[in-house]
Amino acid sequence: MGEPVEALNSAGVLPSIREILRFDDVARALPEVLSGEDALDRPVRWVHVSETADVARLVSGGELLLSTGVGWPTDDEALRALGAELARVGVAGLVLELGDSTPEAPQALVKEFRMQGLPLVVLHREARFIAITEAVHSRIIADQMVALRARDEIHALFTELSLRGSPADFIVSQAGRVLASPVVLEDLNHQVVSAETLGAGEEVLSQWEPRSRAAHHDGTAAAEADGWIITPVEARGMRWGFLIALPGEAHPAGRSNVLEQAAVALALSRLADRDDDEWTRQSHDRLLGALLGRRFASEQGLVARFEAAGFPVARRVLTGVSLVVRSSSAAAGDSARLVTAAAGATREQGLDVLAALHPAHPSNLLVLALSTAPEQAIGDAVLAVIAQAVARAARVEDNAVTVAVGTAGPGIPGLLASIDEATELLGRADAVRSRGVAIQRVERRPLLRLVNAMGSDPRLQEHSELMLRPLIEYDLAADGDLLEVLRAYLTHPGNRTRAAAASHLSRSVFYQRIALIEDLLGMDLDDGETLSALHAALLARRVVR
């Protein structure tokens, strides 16, 4: 049929000896397995009927032989040689029909088959060899047609994904869904770029780097024996990584073929990317997007994804940092360049980092997740170097970048709270300052730190709702901006001119808004305790959202 037994079997289109023994024409002949029980799942490429002792020269491997033994030798040495030669040429097994010419299986042949681990089956009743041959061959041909159609469909699927310019994570997801098993795209450092875990959970990524290195080190054959299929993603002599399918059921098109087609689509996608950091940015976008959007089923699962991407979490201190370019002269459309610059500068400072644009922020607000050893401090000098790299990428000569740093802490909850703190702090940073790097740290803002520490405590939420409900309802009904005006007022207490500038309102309009706020709340905004209570309520509302 032209294809190797391994290729056909990988597609699940070859029947095994065990399956053939269940065919009606075989089962009626009362088959008995005399040797090779552990090899009954061996695939059968074809069925060959022969009575000659030199049948070995007529086969090419993978055949199931049918015989009555009429033309076999009778001496033990020749029978052993026959068995050894059949094993050498790779036949799948032998089915011997017992009858007048061969009332029982020759013991010398049985011993040789057992020593070779080769299946030998005897039939205690007469069998119609032609019917068995026809049934097996019909099954093989029909399944091969199914496999060919499946391969055409797979080729069409991944070709379409390539033509549409689908991103790497979508291609990986489609490969996983087609194979109904986890599929992982890793870079050359064995760090996960994208993964489709399906129902297996994120634990499939646990300790990914050492497991992947071991699979590569042991070789492809050993990896496939463990159910892993490893395919390089490469084109034009350039290799970018590997696509790996974890154990799963057979696919009509062949699991290896599906993975190879997906790898080609990924390679074409990679060639289309002008930026060498595209895969890394996409990976960081997904990870931080899942974190900030609370789109993860369990903390343990997200830890596995972070660490598989090369961001250590266990026994580390995690810090959230937000950066924004203040200058209006920043070059437009350079968000990817900003992310790359921030990540590169952070790594040059010896810090593990995930970098991305904030997924829910309207401006180019950069988010950095930093991982450090407990004894390693992140000083202002390090942050200034990162900010200056961002300024250069934004083509801002005066280094007008504000950096906000959250509270360092352990684990995913600590990182999430730290990023939220930094983002909130950045929203309160002095926007009027036009030159130089400005570094804000949450430990210098005790009220913000207190509110974030309380998190989503129901009592804090109740306080926020009680204090702000009139303003919220007014803004919803009139599409108003009272909450933002109040926020600006609290950011610049005692300086209404700067508060009005931060609100982008004239002083007269700003004063009108403040008067309306006081009327709706029934409070005096010159009272210190009232300001503190409103400030806490606004911070709590930002935390809850």
Side-chain angles (χ1 to χ4, degrees):
M1 296 303 292
E3 292 191 69
V5 176
E6 294 80 5
L8 291 171
N9 189 46
S10 68
V13 301
L14 293 178
S16 66
I17 298 175
R18 191 185 306 276
E19 290 177 285
I20 292 174
L21 295 182
R22 299 192 186 106
F23 284 16
D24 291 343
D25 289 287
V26 181
R28 280 193 291 267
L30 302 181
E32 179 185 1
V33 179
L34 299 184
S35 69
E37 292 87 349
D38 294 337
L40 291 180
D41 292 317
R42 182 173 297 175
V44 174
R45 184 179 65 84
W46 208 242
V47 175
H48 185 69
V49 180
S50 177
E51 303 295 352
T52 178
D54 61 350
V55 63
R57 67 181 180 83
L58 303 176
V59 298
S60 56
E63 295 88 356
L64 179 63
L65 301 181
L66 305 181
S67 181
T68 62
V70 172
W72 288 358
T74 56
D75 61 290
D76 289 353
E77 184 176 349
L79 287 169
R80 286 194 296 271
L82 173 62
E85 186 66 9
L86 291 177
R88 185 188 67 79
V89 298
V91 298
L94 172 66
V95 175
L96 174 63
E97 180 188 278
L98 302 181
D100 293 338
S101 60
T102 312
E104 62 179 8
Q107 288 303 304
L109 186 65
V110 173
K111 289 180 181 178
E112 184 64 29
F113 266 56
R114 286 175 177 169
M115 187 176 70
Q116 298 287 348
L118 197 61
L120 173 57
V121 179
V122 295
L123 303 179
H124 290 280
R125 289 182 181 174
E126 182 180 27
R128 297 172 62 236
F129 282 0
I130 185 64
I132 296 173
T133 302
E134 181 180 3
V136 175
H137 291 177
S138 296
R139 157 73 185 277
I140 292 173
I141 293 172
D143 285 353
Q144 286 188 18
M145 292 302 297
V146 171
L148 289 173
R149 286 194 294 270
R151 290 180 184 181
D152 287 343
E153 292 172 358
I154 293 301
H155 177 74
L157 168 64
F158 288 107
T159 298
E160 176 67 17
L161 293 180
S162 298
L163 294 175
R164 284 163 44 188
S166 298
D169 61 327
F170 187 73
I171 295 173
V172 172
S173 176
Q174 290 301 301
R177 294 179 185 281
V178 167
L179 291 174
S181 69
V183 172
V184 176
L185 172 62
E186 64 174 21
D187 62 20
L188 296 177
N189 292 320
H190 304 279
Q191 294 180 354
V192 173
V193 175
S194 181
E196 175 57 74
T197 60
L198 294 177
E202 307 299 342
E203 58 269 17
V204 300
L205 300 177
S206 178
Q207 298 295 311
W208 177 262
E209 183 177 345
R211 290 165 56 209
S212 174
R213 288 185 181 276
H216 283 268
H217 182 268
D218 292 340
T220 303
E224 291 189 0
D226 291 335
W228 284 38
I229 302 176
I230 302 175
T231 298
V233 179
E234 56 189 1
R236 298 180 183 175
M238 177 70 73
R239 177 174 292 182
W240 296 285
F242 297 91
L243 191 60
I244 301 173
L246 275 61
E249 298 296 325
H251 189 277
R255 288 174 59 79
S256 295
N257 180 66
V258 172
L259 209 64
E260 288 166 4
Q261 293 291 329
V264 169
L266 286 167
L268 293 175
S269 173
R270 194 67 182 82
L271 284 174
D273 293 333
R274 296 182 179 179
D275 191 341
D276 291 339
D277 292 320
E278 182 65 23
W279 276 5
T280 300
R281 282 204 308 274
Q282 289 180 9
S283 175
H284 289 190
D285 281 345
R286 286 190 297 273
L287 291 171
L288 289 176
L291 173 69
L292 298 178
R294 278 71 169 173
R295 298 190 305 272
F296 53 93
S298 68
E299 178 184 344
Q300 182 180 5
L302 196 60
V303 168
R305 280 194 175 263
F306 273 47
E307 295 199 329
F311 184 82
V313 175
R315 297 180 296 279
R316 305 279 283 195
V317 173
L318 308 181
T319 306
V321 175
S322 295
L323 301 90
V324 70
V325 178
R326 298 192 305 274
S327 175
S328 60
S329 64
D334 54 9
S335 58
R337 200 161 55 245
L338 300 186
V339 172
T340 299
T346 305
R347 284 190 288 267
E348 289 174 2
Q349 295 299 306
L351 305 176
D352 293 302
V353 60
L354 296 177
L357 291 178
H358 197 294
H361 203 276
S363 63
N364 282 350
L365 189 152
L366 296 178
V367 173
L368 305 182
L370 306 183
S371 174
T372 59
E375 67 278 4
Q376 185 177 7
I378 304 174
D380 285 0
V382 170
L383 296 171
V385 170
I386 299 170
Q388 289 162 7
V390 171
R392 286 193 299 272
R395 302 168 188 168
V396 175
E397 295 181 357
D398 56 8
N399 292 330
V401 177
T402 298
V403 182
V405 186
T407 305
I412 293 298
L415 175 60
L416 181 56
S418 184
I419 293 176
D420 284 345
E421 286 177 346
T423 303
E424 169 66 22
L425 186 58
L426 198 62
R428 291 173 44 80
D430 189 351
V432 176
R433 181 175 179 176
S434 60
R435 299 180 62 84
V437 174
I439 298 176
Q440 305 279 341
R441 290 183 179 272
V442 74
E443 58 259 29
R444 300 167 188 163
R445 311 301 288 262
L447 183 59
L448 175 61
R449 188 171 66 249
L450 173 64
V451 170
N452 276 281
M454 296 180 68
S456 57
D457 188 305
R459 291 169 297 179
L460 186 60
Q461 295 180 29
E462 183 180 9
H463 167 75
S464 177
E465 179 67 17
L466 179 64
M467 296 292 292
L468 301 177
R469 182 186 296 125
L471 304 187
I472 296 172
E473 291 176 349
Y474 179 89
D475 282 352
L476 291 174
D479 192 22
D481 58 357
L482 296 186
L483 283 179
E484 292 307 314
V485 169
L486 178 61
R487 191 182 311 280
Y489 184 86
L490 295 171
T491 300
H492 304 283
N495 193 330
R496 296 195 176 194
T497 299
R498 296 182 68 182
S503 299
H504 306 290
L505 299 173
S506 67
R507 290 181 61 183
S508 60
V509 173
F510 182 78
Y511 291 158
Q512 291 173 9
R513 297 281 204 282
I514 293 299
L516 178 58
I517 290 173
E518 289 180 325
D519 288 343
L520 290 173
L521 296 180
M523 298 177 181
D524 179 6
L525 293 189
D526 289 327
D527 179 72
E529 184 175 344
T530 298
L531 290 181
S532 297
L534 287 171
H535 197 174
L538 271 176
L539 292 175
R541 176 171 168 79
R542 181 71 65 91
V543 169
V544 171
R545 288 191 302 170

